Amino acid sequence: MNIILFGAPGAGKGTQGELLAKRFDLVRLSTGDLLRDALRRGTPLGLEAKRFMDAGELVPDSVILGLVREVMAAESARGGFIFDGFPRTQAQAESLDATLDEMGTPLAMVIVLDVDDETIVARLSRRLACPRCGAVYNLDTDKPKTAGVCDVCVTGLVQRSDDEASTVRRRLEVYRAQTAPLLAYYESAGVPMHIIAGDRPVDEVQADLVRRIES
Ligand code: AMP
């Protein structure tokens, strides 16, 4: 089973995607996480991606497609993928179609987490991340056990540089201009689509998602 999770930055794709991956034994493929991991390791690809990420712009398709192909080839034996933050452009969507065709595993559905812009800006201003292991926290809904310190690796938490309000606004513009049009693309391809209100507690959204997937 392959699922695409759509939604603006901060809509809850990472949190919900992780829970769904565990529940349905899927591989969560987050291109944002792959890029941040490359950046932490200081690879040339990570350093190249950084200037786009810091500006709230999309990283070029060629970079993203290389990363995604690698993970999909390595994990193809698993029960399927939950795509988080990918595809974000028409070229990425077409490439994903081709890869899934080759693998003989179609897309089961597209899920859209719907959250309004002001909630997103407010939510991301309260998000903290671990610069060492990538764990993510929220000061309202998912606080670290010790203020300012990662539960997993005891490193000082920071705000992601692209979670600053002006960059978030740019990321939202990019989402509307380049990614939201993909919904029409999948609709015309006849892929089942579920639009879920994402401005609710995590467990309520999760229960809603599980119900839709199981039905
Ligand atoms: P995310 O964690 O998914 O919000 O991604 C953070 C940043 O990584 C985005 O603002 C983009 O700069 C970059 N990025 C992540 N996924 C993609 C993608 N599929 N295509 C282009 N850029 C991406």
Side-chain angles (χ1 to χ4, degrees):
M1 177 166 66
N2 298 300
I3 299 174
I4 295 179
L5 257 187
F6 271 115
K13 300 186 298 295
T15 304
Q16 297 297 338
E18 267 179 28
L19 293 169
L20 289 179
K22 269 198 201 117
R23 168 130 193 167
F24 294 102
D25 195 23
L26 302 172
V27 178
R28 172 172 161 263
L29 195 164
S30 155
T31 42
D33 280 359
L34 292 174
L35 292 169
R36 280 183 291 277
D37 182 54
L39 187 55
R40 271 195 297 277
R41 288 185 287 115
T43 68
L45 184 151
L47 298 174
E48 156 78 359
K50 180 175 165 41
R51 62 195 171 99
F52 295 98
M53 296 168 81
D54 282 350
E57 303 294 338
L58 294 185
V59 172
D61 287 336
S62 55
V63 174
I64 299 292
L65 293 176
L67 276 175
V68 168
R69 258 185 234 117
E70 232 175 75
V71 177
M72 289 185 73
E75 304 276 9
S76 61
R78 298 275 298 276
F81 293 90
I82 179 142
F83 298 99
D84 161 354
F86 174 86
R88 264 173 153 104
T89 64
Q90 179 77 25
Q92 292 179 19
E94 287 172 5
S95 166
L96 177 61
D97 281 352
T99 308
L100 291 176
D101 264 0
E102 270 169 35
M103 291 169 65
T105 56
L107 207 49
M109 72 185 76
V110 164
I111 293 172
V112 186
L113 290 176
D114 190 29
V115 180
D116 70 78
D117 287 7
E118 288 321 303
T119 306
I120 282 186
V121 175
R123 214 185 245 188
L124 292 186
S125 75
R126 309 281 291 159
R127 176 158 80 174
L128 290 177
C130 176
R132 182 151 177 232
C133 74
V136 178
Y137 301 86
N138 184 284
L139 292 175
D140 299 316
T141 55
D142 185 17
K143 285 188 199 165
K145 291 192 182 88
T146 306
V149 178
C150 180
D151 294 350
V152 182
C153 68
V154 203
T155 301
L157 299 174
V158 296
Q159 186 180 38
R160 255 169 65 176
S161 52
D162 59 348
D163 278 350
E164 197 247 316
S166 61
T167 313
V168 169
R169 294 202 187 279
R170 178 63 195 148
R171 289 164 70 197
L172 287 168
E173 281 171 14
V174 168
Y175 177 77
R176 307 251 175 274
Q178 301 199 52
T179 304
L182 296 183
L183 298 184
Y185 171 81
Y186 286 112
E187 208 164 18
S188 65
V191 179
M193 187 172 300
H194 299 279
I195 300 177
I196 309 262
D199 52 353
R200 295 176 293 159
V202 169
D203 49 352
E204 240 179 75
V205 175
Q206 180 65 196
D208 204 350
L209 288 171
V210 168
R211 220 175 13 252
R212 310 272 185 132
I213 293 172
E214 284 178 341
S215 70

